[in-house]
């Protein structure tokens, strides 16, 4: 693991925000308090992508499985919450098909009999692994898009089986891809977000009232963010480039209660997702598999803290 002493300290005027016009400087006329999070990445609409035959078949197969499970929810004794989660998943899957230029049919003929939640989750898990592979390889049109779809598949599996995952309602948060940026700037955009989360999670758990399991869970996430930070530093340095240094402090007050702190843990991580998307699309290729996995892990972690989960993690 890379020592933090190797991080080159950048001047405050070089707060790297890769998606701001493709450069690492704050645009003229704008200012950013160095104690706050980096600005929200600029996003850009791109030419619609037409899915490959394999991707189209996969999307239609999932459609058939979701619809068969919803139709047989009574047969496999699903709960109303699970039925609602299936309705949501069917709607999101339709949006994904639209985003990738895949028409609604024809769908594969579903298997006879009931399709329980466990069968749906198995297919969603397989789809998640497939899309993570596309993201790791930087396949067109966007590694961030594939990582978002992989994360959604993971969350949808949890929503359908548990029936209690807070997700965005349909019609919210359309996927918008990040604007392109220079590799160093895109990597530094994600690195700046990592610095803030690594600073903020200890602040969140500084208040009393945490349960031991939740405290341990925050510790696991903090370690994961530190590892991601170090991987980004290595990748940026290897370009070669200059990794942005953490700020001495950020505008984040200690929460008033453990309940409020849970919101901070989820909110900090959710706010960082768009910055990871920038690095996925334009940052160093060497760190892309790590970022793709991190998007899924972070998105899944949001369910623990009651943070609403976006349907397009990092893109909405």
């Amino acid at each position: 693991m890379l020592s933090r002493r190797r991080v080159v300290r950048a001047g405050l005027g070089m707060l790297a925000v890769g998606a701001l016009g493709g450069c690492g400087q704050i645009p003229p006329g704008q200012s950013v308090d160095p104690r706050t999070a980096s600005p929200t990445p600029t996003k850009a609409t791109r030419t619609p992508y037409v899915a490959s035959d394999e991707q189209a078949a996969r999307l239609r197969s999932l459609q058939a499985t979701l619809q068969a499970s919803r139709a047989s929810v009574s047969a496999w004794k699903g709960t109303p919450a699970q039925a609602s989660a299936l309705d949501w998943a069917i709607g999101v899957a339709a949006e994904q098909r639209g985003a990738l230029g895949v028409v609604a049919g024809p769908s594969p003929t579903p298997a006879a009999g009931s399709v329980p939640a466990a069968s749906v989750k198995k297919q969603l898990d397989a789809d998640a692994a497939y899309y993570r592979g596309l993201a790791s390889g930087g396949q067109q049109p966007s590694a961030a898009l594939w990582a978002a779809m992989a994360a959604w598949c993971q969350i949808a599996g949890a929503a359908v089986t548990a029936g209690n995952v807070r997700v965005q309602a349909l019609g919210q948060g359309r996927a918008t891809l990040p604007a392109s940026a220079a590799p160093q700037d895109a990597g530094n955009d994600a690195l700046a977000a990592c610095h803030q989360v690594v600073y903020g999670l200890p602040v969140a758990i500084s208040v009393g009232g945490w349960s031991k399991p939740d405290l341990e869970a925050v510790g696991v996430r903090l370690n994961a963010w530190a590892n991601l930070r170090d991987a980004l530093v290595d990748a940026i340095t290897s370009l070669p480039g200059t990794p942005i240094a953490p700020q001495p402090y950020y505008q984040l007050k200690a929460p008033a209660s453990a309940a409020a702190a849970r919101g901070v843990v989820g909110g900090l991580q959710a706010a960082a997702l768009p910055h990871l998307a920038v690095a996925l699309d334009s940052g160093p290729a060497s760190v892309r598999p790590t970022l793709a996995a991190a998007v899924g892990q972070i998105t899944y972690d949001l369910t623990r803290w009651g943070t609403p989960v976006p349907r397009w993690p990092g893109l909405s």
Side-chain angles (χ1 to χ4, degrees), residues 136 224 227-228 231-232 276 280 285-297:
S136 297
N227 288 340
L228 179 58
L232 283 163
L276 303 192
L280 266 166
S286 62
V287 78
R288 196 179 290 135
T290 302
L291 286 166
V295 168
Q297 294 162 2

Side-chain angles (χ1 to χ4, degrees), residues 131-188:
Y131 292 127
R132 272 195 301 272
L134 296 182
S136 297
Q139 182 163 325
Q140 294 297 318
S142 163
L145 174 67
W146 299 124
M149 290 184 66
W152 177 82
C153 288
Q154 186 176 0
I155 293 302
V160 169
T161 52
N164 60 356
V165 176
R166 294 177 62 191
V167 292
Q168 284 183 343
L170 293 177
Q172 298 178 1
R174 300 287 179 178
T176 308
L177 304 183
S180 61
Q184 175 177 321
D185 295 334
N188 270 327

